[in-house]
């Protein structure tokens, strides 16, 4: 009789290059399942943009699996045990997740299952290099990106080869229907999500198409173009990577077939930033909620709920910030350059704790990734590993002039100021009365006055930093 293996899908919602699925299919019959674990403490799921994505991604995965995906909500241990008993499965395979809560929970589950004569095996489906394999000569983890990548990753063993989807999977039991996925109730009651999802195609096919589109049209010119939010030089692969609809191994391998130039090298290094975030989180599990640099524990963060809400709603009166926050709300995504600008504005000009910003991003982003998000927020705030220096406060007006020179990005998301000439688009508050009148714009009515003075708030941020560090800080020229 053929052996039956449960394949527990988590952040690997694909059939190609899925080591757990491949091993299970080689072993015998496969029983694919997914469990929504309400106790997962890393990031809440219900009510978030990610929940909507997950719903659609599960429909796509179920289709790929011929309707055999079974979904559950609850305690993974009990569900795995019950499903195994009910179906006569003797093993559970999964691909590893690397967030702190999951690592602890998975260890316990492995033990729990093996004590009940169920074989439990985990595989690497989502990182190019295992975090414990990349260490400095003294066996401690890297804290700085460039040596991590160049000395650590690139001189380690090359990432594993990709594995093709199993050609013919023999499934346990009958196909189920879509109602199981609907039963998870991941979609919101009021359908605010339809517009957000309009430009996305969750699932493996969507991921493949996003990669193909980027490889054909965006990759050449990536190194420079990736800074301009109105340009199509970024891949928008992040939600697909976050849900494992495509693996970094597949992308890494596909890059071998591209002309080897600085754009491809730069794209590889951005994938390595993703590795670095996961690596930091693995080695420093308090990274999501504690300042990596403990000096920042002394930072006098402001508690200003009104300012925080204006930032969240894209009503700060600073157009590039508002454009970014509205892009996030409307599409579940924000361009990387703008993520840096809005995060700098929140933590420095508004003086709000980076953890507040990170939480809002996790609520709104379809690509919310605990490691990438928390490490990036700490990077911008200045408190992280290998972080941007705190005193480097982004000037959002200059950033808009440099990276959205024709205003295409701002005009898309802040249409009420679209008639302003380019010169004042990033700073309507400096426009002469006649220019505002010609653009039909009344500041304070159709679009807000800035909620902070950029120069004063920058100086306040630097003063707070100085207080935190003592008086020894020398501001660079
Ligand atoms: C404050 C802040 C919060 C962020 N939160 C997240 C998050 O929750 N999830 C997330 O995936 N990324 C996050 N990032 C990193 C980055 O902004 C996104 O990965 C990127 O914008 C995704 O768009 P893309 O796929 O088009 O990127 P591309 O430029 O096409 O890059 C390809 C892939 O490389 C990885 N990558 C690129 N840039 C970075 C980076 N700076 N750090 C880590 N990985 C990177 C991503 O997996 C990305 O999908 C955050 C950045 C900042 C500044």
């Amino acid at each position: 009789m053929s052996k039956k293996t449960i394949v527990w899908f988590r952040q690997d919602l694909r059939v190609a290059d899925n080591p757990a699925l491949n091993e299970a299919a080689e072993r015998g019959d496969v029983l694919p399942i997914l469990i929504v674990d309400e106790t997962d403490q890393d990031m809440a799921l219900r009510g978030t943009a990610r929940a909507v994505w997950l719903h659609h991604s599960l429909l796509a995965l179920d289709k790929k699996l011929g309707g055999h995906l079974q979904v559950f909500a609850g305690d993974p241990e009990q569900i795995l045990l019950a499903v195994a008993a009910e179906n006569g499965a003797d093993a559970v395979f999964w691909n590893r997740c690397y967030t702190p809560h999951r690592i602890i929970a998975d260890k316990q589950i492995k033990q729990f299952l093996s004590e009940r004569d169920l074989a439990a095996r985990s595989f690497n489906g989502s990182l190019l290099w295992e975090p414990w394999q990349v260490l400095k000569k003294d066996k401690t983890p890297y804290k700085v990106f460039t040596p991590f990548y160049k000395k650590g990753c690139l001189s380690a063993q090359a990432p594993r080869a990709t594995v093709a989807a199993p050609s013919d999977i023999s499934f346990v039991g009958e196909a189920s229907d879509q109602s199981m996925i609907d039963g998870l109730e991941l979609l919101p009651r009021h359908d605010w999500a339809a517009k957000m999802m309009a430009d996305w195609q969750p699932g493996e096919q969507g991921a493949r198409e996003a990669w193909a589109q980027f490889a054909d049209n965006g990759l050449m010119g990536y190194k420079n173009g990736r800074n301009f939010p109105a340009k199509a030089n970024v891949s928008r692969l992040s939600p697909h990577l976050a849900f494992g609809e495509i693996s970094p191994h597949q992308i890494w391998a596909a890059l071998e077939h591209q002309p080897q130039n600085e754009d491809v090298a730069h794209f590889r290094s951005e994938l390595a930033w993703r590795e670095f975030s996961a690596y930091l989180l693995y080695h420093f599990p308090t990274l999501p909620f504690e300042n990596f640099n403990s000096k920042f524990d002394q930072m006098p963060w402001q508690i200003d709920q009104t300012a925080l809400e204006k930032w969240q709603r894209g009503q700060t009166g600073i157009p590039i910030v508002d454009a970014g926050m509205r892009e996030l709300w409307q599409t579940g995504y924000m361009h990387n350059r703008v993520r840096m600008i809005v995060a700098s504005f929140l933590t420095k000009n508004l003086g709000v704790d980076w953890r507040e910003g990170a939480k809002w991003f996790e609520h709104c982003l379809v690509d919310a990734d605990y490691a990438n998000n928390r490490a990036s927020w700490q990077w911008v705030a200045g408190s992280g590993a290998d972080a941007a220096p705190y005193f480097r406060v982004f000037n959002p007006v200059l950033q808009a002039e440099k990276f959205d020179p024709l205003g295409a990005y701002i005009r898309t998301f802040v249409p009420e100021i679209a008639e302003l000439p380019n010169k004042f688009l990033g700073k309507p508050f400096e426009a002469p009365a006649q220019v505002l009148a010609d653009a039909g714009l009344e500041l304070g009515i159709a679009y807000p006055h800035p909620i902070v003075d950029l120069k004063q708030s920058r100086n306040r941020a630097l003063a707070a930093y100085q207080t935190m560090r003592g008086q020894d800080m020398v501001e660079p020229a």
Side-chain angles (χ1 to χ4, degrees):
M1 204 169 68
S2 175
K3 288 186 170 166
K4 294 176 184 171
T5 312
I6 296 176
V7 176
W8 179 19
F9 281 87
R10 292 111 64 92
Q11 285 167 298
D12 51 351
L13 306 184
R14 61 178 186 274
V15 298
D17 195 40
N18 187 322
L21 177 64
N22 270 68
E23 291 282 334
E26 269 179 30
R27 193 170 176 265
D29 298 343
V30 173
L31 204 172
I33 77 168
L34 178 129
I35 303 168
V36 172
D37 178 5
E38 304 284 357
T39 64
D40 197 320
Q41 294 147 6
D42 293 329
M43 284 197 292
L45 178 67
R46 300 265 165 209
T48 64
R50 261 171 44 253
V52 177
W53 187 286
L54 177 60
H55 174 89
H56 294 289
S57 190
L58 290 178
L59 291 180
L61 178 65
D62 187 39
K63 210 168 160 195
K64 281 255 172 198
L65 294 169
H68 285 91
L69 180 68
Q70 297 195 21
V71 297
F72 303 89
D75 173 12
E77 255 176 27
Q78 295 306 328
I79 290 169
L80 290 169
L81 190 63
V83 173
E86 203 172 303
N87 295 280
D90 66 345
V92 185
F93 289 1
W94 65 78
N95 293 309
R96 285 189 273 282
C97 298
Y98 297 84
T99 56
H101 169 76
R102 252 323 358 129
I103 291 173
I104 295 170
D106 287 352
K107 269 191 192 148
Q108 281 170 4
I109 292 172
K110 243 184 199 175
Q111 172 148 4
F112 175 86
L113 294 175
S114 62
E115 283 167 3
R116 285 154 185 83
D117 290 331
L118 285 165
R121 281 183 66 195
S122 68
F123 302 83
N124 177 357
S126 66
L127 287 180
L128 296 166
W129 292 276
E130 293 287 14
W132 53 85
Q133 283 172 348
V134 178
L135 294 171
K136 291 193 286 188
K137 280 199 180 114
D138 65 3
K139 302 291 174 211
T140 60
Y142 289 96
K143 293 181 184 169
V144 179
F145 173 74
T146 303
F148 160 78
Y149 180 44
K150 297 211 162 142
K151 284 195 198 155
C153 302
L154 293 184
S155 46
Q157 202 178 356
R160 65 161 175 77
T162 56
V163 286
S167 52
D168 190 15
I169 304 176
S170 159
F171 290 102
V172 177
E174 299 302 310
S176 52
D177 64 21
Q178 181 188 325
S179 60
M180 272 190 102
I181 295 170
D182 291 341
L184 291 173
E185 297 186 341
L186 293 167
L187 293 180
R189 290 224 171 83
H190 305 288
D191 193 11
W192 49 260
K195 190 163 176 252
M196 179 184 84
M197 295 307 291
D199 287 336
W200 295 107
Q201 189 191 342
E204 199 165 358
Q205 181 62 22
R208 214 170 280 165
E209 285 174 22
W211 163 255
Q213 162 76 14
F214 173 65
D216 289 348
N217 304 310
L219 182 54
M220 293 309 128
Y222 176 76
K223 186 174 184 212
N224 182 43
R226 67 183 283 274
N227 286 305
F228 295 80
K231 288 192 179 179
N233 281 115
V234 289
S235 69
R236 295 170 66 93
L237 279 167
S238 48
H240 301 293
L241 275 163
F243 283 92
E245 297 165 355
I246 191 168
S247 71
H249 306 82
Q250 291 172 298
I251 303 174
W252 199 260
L255 288 169
E256 291 296 322
H257 303 292
Q258 296 290 330
Q260 299 304 302
N261 57 24
E262 60 175 19
D263 293 318
V264 170
H266 202 89
F267 190 70
R268 277 202 187 95
S269 77
E270 292 303 329
L271 287 175
W273 270 101
R274 175 180 177 275
E275 297 281 314
F276 188 49
S277 300
Y279 177 88
L280 288 174
L281 183 57
Y282 175 82
H283 288 288
F284 305 99
T286 58
L287 175 89
F289 42 88
E290 279 180 16
N291 294 307
F292 191 86
N293 175 351
S294 60
K295 278 197 182 134
F296 275 74
D297 295 349
Q298 307 307 318
M299 180 59 97
W301 300 112
Q302 311 284 314
I303 300 167
D304 186 342
Q305 194 57 31
T306 310
L308 177 62
E309 280 171 18
K310 288 191 168 158
W311 175 83
Q312 290 171 337
R313 298 191 193 304
Q315 292 290 343
T316 68
I318 308 292
I320 189 78
V321 173
D322 293 339
M325 298 310 294
R326 294 180 195 186
E327 180 185 25
L328 174 63
W329 185 250
Q330 288 169 28
T331 71
Y333 173 88
M334 194 194 302
H335 186 277
N336 179 61
R337 165 66 43 188
V338 193
R339 291 187 203 206
M340 293 193 291
I341 298 170
V342 303
S344 170
F345 183 78
L346 183 75
T347 54
K348 297 177 184 176
N349 297 94
L350 298 182
V352 173
D353 193 322
W354 58 267
R355 285 159 278 226
E356 292 295 333
K359 271 192 271 172
W360 183 248
F361 269 33
E362 281 155 15
H363 185 72
C364 301
L365 278 173
V366 285
D367 67 24
D369 172 278
Y370 203 43
N372 267 356
N373 190 43
R374 296 288 167 146
S376 300
W377 270 94
Q378 291 231 41
W379 185 89
V380 179
S383 59
D386 195 11
Y390 182 85
F391 45 72
R392 222 163 271 161
V393 181
F394 279 74
N395 178 326
V397 172
L398 296 182
Q399 289 284 315
E401 283 171 5
K402 194 166 172 195
F403 296 114
D404 190 29
L406 302 179
Y409 180 73
I410 290 181
R411 285 195 174 89
T412 302
F413 292 104
V414 194
E416 62 269 38
I417 63 168
E419 296 301 319
L420 280 175
N422 290 348
K423 184 174 174 198
F424 294 107
L425 200 60
K427 47 179 179 185
F429 43 89
E430 285 186 15
Q434 190 56 50
V435 172
L436 292 174
D438 290 348
L441 180 64
E442 206 173 330
L443 277 189
I445 306 285
Y447 185 68
H449 292 289
I451 59 171
V452 278
D453 178 278
L454 290 176
K455 197 165 174 209
Q456 279 172 15
S457 57
R458 176 180 187 276
N459 289 340
R460 198 183 52 217
L462 294 177
Y465 182 62
Q466 206 149 353
T467 315
M468 179 193 95
R469 289 198 56 190
Q471 297 305 309
D472 60 334
M473 190 196 114
V474 182
E475 195 188 333

